[in-house]
Amino acid sequence: QVIPRQTCSLFTHTMVLDMYPGGKEVLLESIDGGSLFQSFLYNQVNVFMTHQSNYGNDRLGLFTFDRAMKFLYKWTNLRLVYEPPEVLGKRYFNLYPEEVEPVWSNPCLNRRHLEIWSEEKNCSSFPKFVVVGPQKTGTTALYWFLNMHPHVKSNLPSPTTFEEVQFFSGPNYFKGIDWYMSFFPTPENNTVLFEKSATYFDQKVVPKRLKTLLPSKHIVVILIDPALRAYSWYQSWKYLTKYYEEANLKLFKLLERLKKPIPEWLKKKSKKFCSLRSKSLSLFYGV
Ligand SMILES: Nc1ncnc2c1ncn2[C@@H]1O[C@H](COP(=O)(O)OS(=O)(=O)O)[C@@H](OP(=O)(O)O)[C@H]1O
């Protein structure tokens, strides 16, 4: 959880008032009713960066906040209090529960973010379009067909979810933008990068996350007869359920034979075949 910080109009490189970018009037205006004053006025929780040079060396920070407090106390009834970071964090997320989860924005769309972004990162490595699903509509086929084009390239495969990165729809999102971008090599000229994750279509969190990170990118959705899709989905689950049941049973038996402890999750999953075992497991599983 990260509490957003506010901008206080002081920058790491500003050392003395007379060198202030645009002249000292710009800073004074921000304090006397401008952006710094409004930051206090409109935010119930304010966090400011204490750039050491502006506080320790030339004391521009002290000047700024001393003046800001005087202005605020003179013209408003606001009374500010200090609280330690942890207390402040709890208070902030009680006020704004929708901000508990971060939403990644695109550093390439903000000049200031771009300046402090790693030099190894490349804005052209973001996908130009995203195939969002839904599942069982032929998305994998489309993924491979698109990859056949010499100027179209997909993300690199994931060791766990294969051709899908599944970034915007699940816990991978919290691994951050660098993790997401590690799936996209810097493209050669004329190459169009894309990503396909069929899990994006029906997850409520996806539109906001996708729009914030890739606002101008194209979205591809495949629509087919819902009955065909449902049938394909049913067949998939039937196969997978059987596959996992068999794999769990094999693991269960192996751990039993090696006299190793059976993990809780496997015990829960195995309840069904444990009760069968006492009757006639061999009939069902050939053991
Ligand atoms: N070219 C083309 N056109 C239409 N449909 C096609 C095509 N290629 C594959 N398929 C069928 O799509 C089903 C798998 O869809 P997905 O790849 O999206 O599945 S997944 O969500 O990634 O698991 C799966 O459907 P079922 O066979 O009914 O299960 C595939 O056969």
Side-chain angles (χ1 to χ4, degrees):
Q1 295 175 354
V2 181
I3 312 178
R5 68 178 171 88
Q6 273 73 45
T7 305
C8 63
S9 305
L10 298 181
F11 310 99
T12 320
H13 56 268
T14 307
M15 294 297 290
V16 290
L17 189 57
D18 288 339
M19 280 168 56
Y20 194 85
K24 66 180 179 188
E25 292 71 27
V26 176
L27 178 64
L28 298 185
E29 196 183 304
S30 148
I31 301 169
D32 300 344
S35 62
L36 181 56
F37 170 74
Q38 287 172 29
S39 184
F40 286 117
L41 204 59
Y42 297 129
N43 296 302
Q44 293 196 49
V45 175
N46 279 281
V47 178
F48 294 104
M49 289 266 278
T50 54
H51 295 299
Q52 180 55 27
S53 56
N54 287 321
Y55 283 80
N57 300 347
D58 67 334
R59 304 184 174 204
L60 193 61
L62 297 177
F63 164 81
T64 300
F65 282 94
D66 184 54
R67 187 169 172 131
M69 290 305 128
K70 282 182 181 145
F71 190 87
L72 196 78
Y73 277 45
K74 184 169 180 185
W75 294 104
T76 75
N77 290 325
L78 288 177
R79 291 296 172 263
L80 305 183
V81 288
Y82 164 82
E83 282 186 331
E86 270 188 35
V87 181
L88 202 61
K90 278 199 183 117
R91 188 185 291 279
Y92 183 85
F93 291 116
N94 276 337
L95 284 167
Y96 307 106
E98 71 284 0
E99 288 187 24
V100 168
E101 290 188 353
V103 181
W104 311 121
S105 57
N106 190 322
C108 302
L109 303 177
N110 183 313
R111 191 178 51 82
R112 283 173 63 189
H113 290 176
L114 197 55
E115 276 169 15
I116 56 173
W117 206 31
S118 162
E119 279 180 9
E120 291 157 21
K121 298 290 175 323
N122 192 322
C123 291
S124 61
S125 299
F126 280 113
K128 292 278 182 301
F129 68 95
V130 182
V131 182
V132 297
Q135 286 174 308
K136 317 314 294 178
T137 56
T139 54
T140 314
L142 179 64
Y143 171 89
W144 289 113
F145 294 155
L146 286 167
N147 260 315
M148 286 175 190
H149 193 288
H151 294 143
V152 179
K153 209 169 163 46
S154 68
N155 53 279
L156 302 169
S158 148
T160 49
T161 47
F162 312 106
E163 84 276 8
E164 300 197 351
V165 185
Q166 298 187 356
F167 176 65
F168 296 99
S169 53
N172 286 337
Y173 187 71
F174 303 108
K175 293 179 182 166
I177 306 178
D178 285 357
W179 183 87
Y180 181 58
M181 293 196 76
S182 69
F183 287 90
F184 297 96
T186 305
E188 287 162 19
N189 281 351
N190 299 332
T191 300
V192 174
L193 286 179
F194 79 100
E195 190 222 332
K196 177 294 259 197
S197 291
T199 52
Y200 291 165
F201 182 81
D202 60 347
Q203 295 296 311
K204 261 205 230 158
V205 285
V206 171
K208 183 178 173 189
R209 290 175 177 177
L210 200 56
K211 188 168 186 292
T212 314
L213 188 65
L214 307 172
S216 58
K217 308 305 177 203
H218 300 280
I219 308 288
V220 177
V221 180
I222 305 181
L223 300 174
I224 63 166
D225 181 340
L228 291 178
R229 201 199 80 83
Y231 185 69
S232 170
W233 186 237
Y234 163 75
Q235 293 293 349
S236 244
W237 273 106
K238 210 168 105 178
Y239 168 77
L240 284 176
T241 308
K242 189 162 177 289
Y243 173 84
Y244 284 124
E245 266 180 14
E246 285 173 5
N248 285 340
L249 178 66
K250 275 188 194 151
L251 180 61
F252 189 92
K253 280 172 23 191
L254 180 70
L255 293 173
E256 256 192 347
R257 205 174 71 228
L258 298 174
K259 297 194 178 5
K260 297 272 184 201
I262 313 280
E264 277 310 310
W265 69 265
L266 188 57
K267 275 187 199 160
K268 275 188 200 146
K269 298 251 179 229
S270 316
K271 259 187 193 148
K272 201 169 112 199
F273 50 75
C274 280
S275 62
L276 286 176
R277 178 180 276 272
S278 59
K279 294 177 191 160
S280 175
L281 188 62
S282 58
L283 272 179
F284 286 86
Y285 293 105
V287 287

